[in-house]
Amino acid sequence: MYKVYGVSHSDLDRIDTTTAHPARRYNYWLGGKDNFAADRESGDAIAAVYPAIRTTALENRRFLRRAVRFVAEQGVRQFLDIGTGIPTADNTHEVAQAIAPESRIVYVDNDPIVLTHARALLTSTPEGATAYIDADLRDVDGILAHPDLRRTLDLDRPVAVMLIAIVHFLFDDDRPYETVRRLLDPLPSGSCLVLTHGTSDLASPEVRAHAEAEMRAGRLRFDAMPRTKEQVAEFFTGLELVDPGIVPIIDWRPTVPEADRPPVTDVAMYGAVARKP
């Protein structure tokens, strides 16, 4: 039986072990142990259709490291990381504070397990600060007005909003473009949007056909909405994209030679960084 240590009784009541949660499924793909049978079953079902999903998860973390490093090197010292996920190596604050120890980071997630691990493991440098908010991406007002965020971040100075592999969990009825715009609207010039988003653009025809057949047969149901490059570009309306723009995550300012990267068909994710003018 899976045991959850350090979680309050009220938080335990909120944990639904019978339904897969994206953060715990992602943890499973990354080889972690903080997941339940439902998360593993869902992860295996997706991997059966798209075997490269674990590669996508690993490359997504590598993109995060490169993007945070780039933003920190541009002088941004505040980060709002929404959809944090269960902590692993090289988290946002670790990368940012390695460059600028005074960096300040607010993590946001809606899974009690994620927040428990975050509070235990994501410790700041003495010069900087970290905070952890229990909230859903859809609650923009609650996030921006949260006292822990206001104590940690100065919204009159640039903030990097990190939306790593989370926006594709917003369906059209959730008004995803409006949600992202409302997050950025109160932030000053020089703030950044760092975003990765699932797509079926990069999948091979065989993988697409297999996925469509499994969904028609009722054996597979996605809780995320992959979008095309053109649809992903809408999230950056009014922002200035940093070179190389919206590209497969393995091709965003890579640090390894092309020959050492996985094929683009094994990474079903676009990524980009943009500045607010």
Side-chain angles (χ1 to χ4, degrees):
M1 178 181 294
Y2 184 97
K3 294 183 179 179
V4 184
Y5 296 99
V7 183
S8 68
H9 288 297
S10 60
D11 281 344
L12 279 172
D13 291 340
R14 293 174 47 214
I15 299 174
D16 181 0
T17 64
T18 65
T19 302
H21 189 283
R24 301 193 305 260
R25 183 173 57 210
Y26 191 73
N27 173 263
Y28 172 57
W29 285 331
L30 289 173
K33 301 182 183 303
D34 298 300
N35 47 74
F36 299 102
D39 307 308
R40 296 188 288 273
E41 289 167 8
S42 174
D44 288 343
I46 293 173
V49 173
Y50 184 64
I53 189 62
R54 291 179 176 85
T55 299
T56 297
L58 288 167
E59 292 298 332
N60 193 59
R61 291 297 299 185
R62 290 173 180 143
F63 170 91
L64 179 148
R65 292 196 290 268
R66 298 195 304 275
V68 171
R69 188 176 300 115
F70 170 83
V71 171
E73 288 172 349
Q74 303 309 301
V76 176
R77 297 293 179 260
Q78 302 188 111
F79 296 79
L80 175 57
D81 187 339
I82 304 177
T84 304
I86 295 169
T88 181
D90 292 337
N91 300 287
T92 295
H93 77 286
E94 294 169 318
V95 178
Q97 291 181 345
I99 294 166
E102 71 274 20
S103 296
R104 307 175 74 83
I105 295 87
V106 171
Y107 290 105
V108 181
D109 209 288
N110 65 356
D111 185 337
I113 292 178
V114 170
L115 271 297
T116 296
H117 282 285
R119 292 184 180 109
L121 300 175
L122 302 184
T123 55
S124 174
T125 59
E127 302 94 331
T130 55
Y132 322 97
I133 297 175
D134 182 356
D136 190 285
L137 170 59
R138 299 168 184 85
D139 183 14
V140 173
D141 292 338
I143 291 171
L144 293 178
H146 197 286
D148 289 345
L149 181 143
R150 293 289 177 160
R151 278 192 291 268
T152 307
L153 303 182
D154 178 356
L155 299 189
D156 291 327
R157 298 172 56 219
V159 177
V161 176
M162 310 287 299
L163 298 175
I164 302 297
I166 183 173
V167 180
H168 47 237
F169 293 109
L170 299 184
F171 286 79
D172 290 343
D173 289 346
D174 296 313
R175 300 181 178 179
Y177 300 109
E178 178 183 338
T179 297
V180 173
R181 188 186 70 248
R182 288 175 58 219
L183 277 168
L184 292 168
D185 277 350
L187 304 181
S189 173
S191 295
C192 297
L193 173 62
V194 181
L195 181 145
T196 64
H197 197 297
T199 184
S200 59
D201 286 358
L202 308 176
S204 68
E206 295 78 13
V207 166
R208 287 191 194 183
H210 187 191
E212 290 168 2
E214 290 294 291
M215 286 188 287
R216 284 196 301 270
R219 291 188 292 268
L220 180 66
R221 185 183 70 82
F222 286 107
D223 55 4
M225 183 175 182
R227 293 184 169 93
T228 65
K229 184 175 183 179
E230 291 73 21
Q231 290 171 323
V232 172
E234 290 187 47
F235 290 109
F236 296 94
T237 299
L239 304 177
E240 298 172 348
L241 282 164
V242 171
D243 286 339
I246 301 168
V247 294
I249 51 177
I250 56 170
D251 293 333
W252 196 89
R253 298 178 177 260
T255 56
V256 297
E258 185 174 358
D260 295 332
R261 295 176 231 155
V264 72
T265 52
D266 283 359
V267 183
M269 195 86 70
Y270 285 123
V273 175
R275 294 188 187 92
K276 186 173 180 178

